Amino acid sequence: MTITSYAVRKTARTALKKNWLNAVIACVAGLFSFILCVYAGSFFAIPAGDTAGNVLQVILAFFLLLPLFLGILRFYWRSLFGVQDNPLIIFYYFTEKRLYLRALKLWGALALRALVIGVLLFLPSWIAQLFAGSVIYDYLHLSIPLWTSNLLYVAQILRAAASVVLLFVMLRYYLSPILLIADEEMQVTEALHLSVLESKTSSLEFLALIGSFIGWGLLSILIFPLVFTLPYFLTACCVHGRFVFARYNKTVAAQTVPDEPPTYAANI
């Protein structure tokens, strides 16, 4: 069963129809928090320097914005089941230490994977860039060979290839936040593992869904439409995840031998 972008968007609009006001409020609260973190880093950069300001923004993003984003995603996920939460529920992962650490563990695991895999993938381009420059040759007191200028193009090609590969590698984990939201008892490692399994057949469908929002994305450049387009997009992502889970569970159930425990049975 193919999960079409049209079906996902249509289901998302239906889910939002009776909850637009709360959905917009939740989105505005998230955007306001993002703006505050950006301005906090900018103001801090005035006396401390740009580097310190950027570091502060990264810290605020990891410890504040990412857990908040998980809460926002949870709000839209629950709306699919007819739950009309108070928009303040977006701060759900700040209400308990256990929940907050759970959110940080997820984003920390994803960041660590991206860092390690990224270093390995970009290493060849960095080496090519290094030999294309004059640092090594100046250190060794050697003249720069004429062919090193070609290494700049090689480095650019390797960098572009590494970016594409990193995108598709990390795309395997795109379902992990929704899995963690959908099952409150699921461990972070389990969510990451299941995301890898389930995304094998859904990654391209998810990219197609993102592509179908290009027009809405261009409209969002005007900033104000974001309060409408962002809830629509996040709800669509949740709908997509729900369809993927249903398809995966159905496939596993069909492959399970009677009287034997299933390899995966999600209460999603």
Side-chain angles (χ1 to χ4, degrees):
M1 179 186 70
T2 302
I3 301 173
T4 65
S5 300
Y6 173 78
V8 170
R9 295 198 310 271
K10 183 178 180 180
T11 306
R13 290 194 298 269
T14 301
L16 285 169
K17 189 174 296 183
K18 296 181 179 180
N19 201 32
W20 261 114
L21 180 59
N22 286 341
V24 169
I25 294 174
C27 176
V28 169
L31 289 173
F32 184 69
S33 300
F34 172 77
I35 293 172
L36 283 180
C37 289
V38 171
Y39 275 103
S42 299
F43 286 131
F44 187 70
I46 295 175
D50 291 340
T51 301
N54 292 334
V55 170
L56 178 61
Q57 287 179 342
V58 171
I59 292 174
L60 292 175
F62 184 78
F63 289 100
L64 294 179
L65 293 182
L66 288 179
L68 179 61
F69 172 73
L70 202 61
I72 294 173
L73 203 61
R74 181 176 181 270
F75 171 88
Y76 293 119
W77 171 264
R78 286 167 59 86
S79 70
L80 299 184
F81 302 92
V83 181
Q84 297 189 11
D85 285 322
N86 186 309
L88 292 177
I89 199 69
I90 65 174
F91 298 102
Y92 174 75
Y93 289 95
F94 295 94
T95 58
E96 292 183 26
K97 180 180 178 181
R98 174 185 63 85
L99 295 173
Y100 181 65
L101 293 178
R102 190 166 183 254
L104 291 185
K105 186 176 180 180
L106 170 66
W107 297 119
L110 291 174
L112 182 61
R113 281 167 170 76
L115 177 62
V116 173
I117 296 171
V119 168
L120 293 176
L121 290 175
F122 282 95
L123 187 59
S125 67
W126 294 337
I127 294 175
Q129 184 75 39
L130 181 63
F131 279 94
S134 61
V135 176
I136 291 180
Y137 305 102
D138 291 342
Y139 180 76
L140 297 176
H141 303 289
L142 297 173
S143 58
I144 302 175
L146 295 176
W147 53 266
T148 57
S149 59
N150 296 325
L151 289 178
L152 289 174
Y153 301 104
V154 174
Q156 292 176 356
I157 294 173
L158 291 173
R159 193 178 302 116
S163 299
V164 173
V165 174
L166 181 61
L167 170 65
F168 279 95
V169 170
M170 293 308 298
L171 192 62
R172 300 183 304 165
Y173 302 104
Y174 83 94
L175 288 167
S176 55
I178 304 178
L179 281 164
L180 210 66
I181 290 167
D183 189 343
E184 297 283 349
E185 302 301 322
M186 184 177 290
Q187 297 296 319
V188 170
T189 52
E190 185 182 2
L192 295 172
H193 174 66
L194 287 174
S195 178
V196 172
L197 293 178
E198 300 184 28
S199 63
K200 289 180 180 179
T201 58
S202 65
S203 294
L204 294 180
E205 293 168 336
F206 182 63
L207 289 177
L209 176 64
I210 294 177
S212 70
F213 274 90
I214 289 179
W216 294 107
L218 294 175
L219 180 63
S220 300
I221 294 176
L222 301 175
I223 305 301
F224 177 74
L226 268 175
V227 300
F228 300 103
T229 58
L230 194 55
Y232 183 23
F233 175 71
L234 292 178
T235 303
C237 289
C238 291
V239 170
H240 168 83
R242 187 180 178 186
F243 285 175
V244 173
F245 302 154
R247 181 174 63 185
Y248 183 78
N249 287 344
K250 185 177 180 179
T251 302
V252 170
Q255 296 174 349
T256 302
V257 178
D259 301 325
E260 288 188 8
T263 56
Y264 170 55
N267 56 347
I268 297 172

